[in-house]
Amino acid sequence: MAYVPIFLNLAQTRVLVLGKGEASDRRAETYAAAGAAVVRAEKFRPDLLDGCALAAGAGADEAELQSLSAEARRRGIPVN
């Protein structure tokens, strides 16, 4: 199996949610309920990942999601 489920303590951490729409809203609400400081953006910029413990993309353009994923992995930040 290439992937495993994980549990993260997101209390008092910064989490980036990239995209817009219902799926993005649900992710942001879930992370906020876990105590994260959620940063929302529709367009990706690498500086948005500064200080992030987690990044997620939903409802963004494929090119934006690819950029988010590549930069998050380069920095060692888990990305969904």
Side-chain angles (χ1 to χ4, degrees), residues 49-64:
L49 287 171
D50 293 350
C52 284
L54 176 69
D61 292 336
E62 185 64 27
E64 298 284 325

Side-chain angles (χ1 to χ4, degrees), residues 3 12-13 16-17 19 31 34 37 39-40 44 46 53 55 64 67 69 71 73 75 80:
Y3 299 95
Q12 300 178 356
T13 65
L16 172 63
V17 176
Y31 300 142
V39 176
R40 305 277 314 256
F44 178 69
E64 298 284 325
S67 295
S69 181
E71 182 63 16
R73 281 185 274 145
R75 294 181 183 213
N80 177 269

